[in-house]
Amino acid sequence: MTNTNYLIIGSGVAGLTLALRLAEQFPNKNITIVTKSNADESNTKYAQGGIAIVIDKNEDSYQKHISDTLICGDGLCNEAVVKMVITEGPKRLKELIEWGAKFDKNPDGNLNLGKEGGHSENRVVHHKDQTGYEIERAILKQVYHKDNITVLDHHFAVNLITEENCCLGITALDEKTKLLQTYKSDVTILATGGIGHLYGHTTNPVIATGDGIAMAYRSGAKIKEMEFIQFHPTAFYDTSTESKFLISEAVRGFGAYLRTKRGYRFMIDYDSRQELASRDIVSQSIDLELKKSGDDYVLLDCTHLDTEAFKKHFPMIYKHCLTSGIDIAKDWIPVVPAQHYLCGGIVVDTNGKTSVTNLFACGECSQTGLHGANRLASNSLLEALVYSGRIYEYLAHPDVEIKTADYKISEKEKTDQPEIDSESLAELKTKLQYLMRQNAGIVRVDNDLQNAKEQLLSWKKEMDQIEKTHLVSVSFYELLNMITIGSLIVSQSIERHENRGGFVKLKRSSFV
């Protein structure tokens, strides 16, 4: 058994910035980061757009950003949370810059602010089209310089250990030794990211399997609004089932047009903001156009834009398109909506506390009330930074006493059970991903959701039997978590009876 003061599960911007703050405040305490892949592999790394923060007070204001967020959330945001997150943004950006993150500037030396769908002003701070990668680079460099931070990469968190609704730590599978290990902690923080791989067609990396939410659910934590899933309108279309390359929303902010294969600019028919409508509207519009036409994708037209300026702003996107045979100066880019972000998750208060004692959550796995029914573009990195800071400030407050539970933790012995057939797990995962895309995608239908609920229950029982008789693996636990997350999404979709934001449900399939 390993003992630590602060145990952080996940190595995205939320987990890493919290680890840094705690390490600096408590040099004599131990901070342990558990991550199932390399420390730099997270949804943060793939965030292209940037961080939405009010910088230019002459053109912009907190109230404008608050209003944009509330409109996008379609009446389900917690207004007090929205105000708190947006007003704390500049302070968190300052910290990032102090830690070494570099952001694009204009010729006069000020931050170059971009504009994305749903925003009324230019307020997106970015590093070309690789903002998440730059933030991850800067923070990790700082983390590795802290003697009291231990990073355990290739360790898979299996379950939270709880007694009487108090979290004591976790069990984790060392992917190298294949042994289950126990980590006891005073405080445990889930910063495990999203769920994208559940859908297969996603902009998330393959590690995004909803592990933190599934663990929290099994431990009795409150989970809310899992039905609100954001599909990014413009993922690069290809025929594979791997993670999709994201064509950032900032490209439409830069002036690109969406067209059908016949060249028609269809967003004019759906919203006065046209291509800069919020993501839910653009995704639903594309979905409807594809259902009407029977096509597999729509097209993003950048041919009228300044190619040299495009290359400067979006070098990674330009290179990906060119490698795929698309010259943006003369060719249209094939795009299709793909799962991008989860707006719901583990319910937390304004200090990141869950309904389980000594368990906190931040980042995409949490439900803070900021996003409501649909997330405003580039508010995710902002939320992760602010809630990381809120958890730190709560834990560092001199009046806060963390009561550690004195329970005995029993450790699991290694058994000689047979290994699970990896091919059967892969086959079941493919079936699960197809079921979620067909039955719980952009537009859902009551009957399809009921059928999915029954199928997911059947698969869960099958997995329970396998767990009793076989030596479990990371692939098994990931699939179990994905089935758990799928069941939460489907059940909460059935329970919601009104269409809001990114959630659209029909009584029966009809696109007339």
Side-chain angles (χ1 to χ4, degrees):
M1 182 188 299
T2 301
N3 290 284
T4 189
N5 299 111
Y6 302 104
L7 181 62
I8 298 170
I9 320 300
S11 59
V13 64
L16 292 179
T17 54
L18 177 57
L20 264 184
R21 293 181 178 111
L22 290 171
E24 291 171 354
Q25 178 69 20
F26 302 112
N28 297 321
K29 291 191 176 184
N30 298 318
I31 297 97
T32 302
I33 299 171
V34 172
T35 182
K36 68 177 180 179
S37 185
N38 298 317
D40 70 342
E41 185 68 0
S42 67
N43 277 1
T44 296
K45 179 179 174 181
Y46 298 92
Q48 292 180 1
I51 316 170
I53 295 179
V54 175
I55 301 293
D56 184 353
K57 299 287 182 63
N58 293 322
E59 295 295 327
D60 201 2
S61 68
Y62 289 139
Q63 190 52 52
K64 285 182 181 179
H65 192 177
I66 290 167
S67 178
D68 292 344
T69 301
L70 294 175
I71 290 168
C72 196
D74 202 7
L76 290 182
C77 300
N78 180 323
E79 193 164 349
V81 167
V82 173
K83 183 177 180 180
M84 177 195 79
V85 171
I86 286 167
T87 54
E88 289 189 14
K91 178 169 67 173
R92 300 310 174 197
L93 177 65
K94 183 174 180 287
E95 287 175 332
L96 276 184
I97 293 171
E98 288 172 352
W99 284 327
K102 300 184 186 304
F103 300 101
D104 293 347
K105 295 184 177 180
N106 52 31
D108 60 13
N110 295 321
L111 288 168
N112 186 3
L113 304 176
K115 186 176 184 182
E116 296 181 356
H119 288 273
S120 56
E121 301 291 345
N122 288 50
R123 65 170 69 100
V124 180
V125 178
H126 54 86
H127 178 90
K128 302 190 187 311
D129 55 356
Q130 304 171 62
T131 306
Y133 184 90
E134 169 60 17
I135 292 171
E136 191 92 355
R137 177 205 65 77
I139 300 171
L140 264 177
K141 184 177 179 181
Q142 295 292 329
V143 163
Y144 286 130
H145 279 111
K146 298 296 180 185
D147 293 335
N148 57 335
I149 297 179
T150 301
V151 180
L152 299 174
D153 58 4
H154 299 285
H155 280 65
F156 185 89
V158 174
N159 274 313
L160 298 171
I161 302 170
T162 56
E163 287 286 347
E164 298 181 3
N165 199 47
C166 180
C167 184
L168 311 178
I170 64 165
T171 54
L173 184 65
D174 184 328
E175 296 180 43
K176 294 170 184 173
T177 65
K178 310 296 183 188
L179 293 177
L180 274 174
Q181 299 181 341
T182 303
Y183 295 87
K184 188 176 181 181
S185 60
D186 299 335
V187 173
T188 301
I189 302 101
L190 295 171
T192 51
I195 60 142
H197 203 49
L198 174 60
Y199 283 83
H201 292 175
T202 178
T203 62
N204 295 181
V206 294
I207 60 166
T209 52
D211 306 314
I213 301 171
M215 284 193 295
Y217 175 72
R218 287 194 288 270
S219 296
K222 186 177 180 183
I223 313 293
K224 184 180 177 184
E225 296 183 352
M226 295 292 286
E227 69 273 26
F228 293 118
I229 298 168
Q230 188 172 79
F231 292 82
H232 198 286
T234 54
F236 190 91
Y237 173 80
D238 62 46
T239 56
S240 75
T241 57
E242 300 300 316
S243 297
K244 302 301 177 189
F245 182 83
L246 179 66
I247 306 297
S248 172
E249 189 154 355
V251 173
R252 283 178 283 127
F254 199 65
Y257 300 145
L258 280 165
R259 300 186 185 275
T260 64
K261 282 187 177 181
R262 289 168 295 285
Y264 181 63
R265 245 185 101 190
F266 59 88
M267 280 309 302
I268 295 170
D269 298 337
Y270 292 98
D271 195 282
S272 60
R273 294 169 293 179
Q274 300 171 25
E275 280 81 6
L276 286 180
S278 56
R279 288 173 177 173
D280 57 325
I281 293 172
V282 179
S283 291
Q284 290 161 23
S285 302
I286 293 173
D287 188 65
L288 183 54
E289 286 295 320
L290 295 179
K291 284 182 167 70
K292 287 195 297 186
S293 66
D295 294 334
D296 294 323
Y297 56 84
V298 294
L299 294 137
L300 192 64
D301 177 10
C302 305
T303 57
H304 56 289
L305 303 176
D306 182 329
T307 304
E308 291 306 311
F310 186 100
K311 288 161 69 173
K312 181 181 178 182
H313 279 83
F314 311 110
M316 190 167 64
I317 293 172
Y318 179 80
K319 183 179 178 181
H320 182 88
C321 289
L322 208 57
T323 303
S324 304
I326 304 291
D327 180 352
I328 64 103
K330 58 184 179 182
D331 302 319
W332 295 347
I333 307 169
V335 293
V336 68
Q339 194 285 339
H340 185 58
Y341 191 85
L342 174 68
C343 295
I346 308 162
V347 176
V348 297
D349 67 9
T350 53
N351 293 314
K353 294 166 68 176
T354 73
S355 58
V356 176
T357 303
N358 292 351
L359 179 67
F360 294 73
C362 54
E364 189 174 351
C365 69
S366 66
Q367 194 276 340
T368 65
L370 174 66
H371 307 307
N374 188 38
R375 174 177 68 93
L376 181 66
S378 289
N379 266 1
S380 52
L381 290 176
L382 171 66
E383 178 190 48
L385 289 166
V386 168
Y387 269 83
S388 163
R390 297 288 298 186
I391 294 173
Y392 159 71
E393 288 173 356
Y394 175 82
L395 294 175
H397 196 282
D399 294 337
V400 169
E401 182 182 353
I402 301 298
K403 295 180 180 178
T404 56
D406 189 24
Y407 294 108
K408 182 176 175 59
I409 298 175
S410 58
E411 297 195 70
K412 211 170 180 180
E413 297 294 327
K414 185 178 180 181
T415 63
D416 293 324
Q417 294 172 318
E419 291 187 2
I420 303 167
D421 176 25
S422 58
E423 286 188 15
S424 63
L425 288 179
E427 183 180 329
L428 181 51
K429 183 172 76 172
T430 299
K431 289 179 181 177
L432 170 64
Q433 290 170 330
Y434 181 78
L435 178 79
M436 293 303 294
R437 289 198 301 272
Q438 292 298 111
N439 293 37
I442 296 171
V443 177
R444 299 164 209 174
V445 181
D446 269 330
N447 190 53
D448 292 342
L449 290 167
Q450 291 291 347
N451 291 338
K453 183 178 180 179
E454 293 172 14
Q455 181 60 76
L456 288 162
L457 180 60
S458 174
W459 285 336
K460 174 64 168 58
K461 290 178 180 177
E462 188 179 328
M463 295 291 284
D464 289 344
Q465 284 302 118
I466 292 172
E467 188 173 18
K468 291 175 184 176
T469 57
H470 290 76
L471 191 65
V472 291
S473 61
V474 170
S475 297
F476 172 85
Y477 286 125
E478 283 188 329
L479 183 55
L480 177 64
N481 290 339
M482 289 162 70
I483 291 171
T484 301
I485 296 299
S487 297
L488 285 166
I489 291 169
V490 166
S491 296
Q492 294 185 9
S493 294
I494 291 169
E495 291 165 7
R496 180 161 293 281
H497 301 297
E498 57 176 356
N499 292 345
R500 302 287 281 271
F503 179 78
V504 179
K505 183 173 71 169
L506 306 175
K507 292 296 180 184
R508 58 182 183 276
S509 184
S510 172
F511 296 97
V512 178

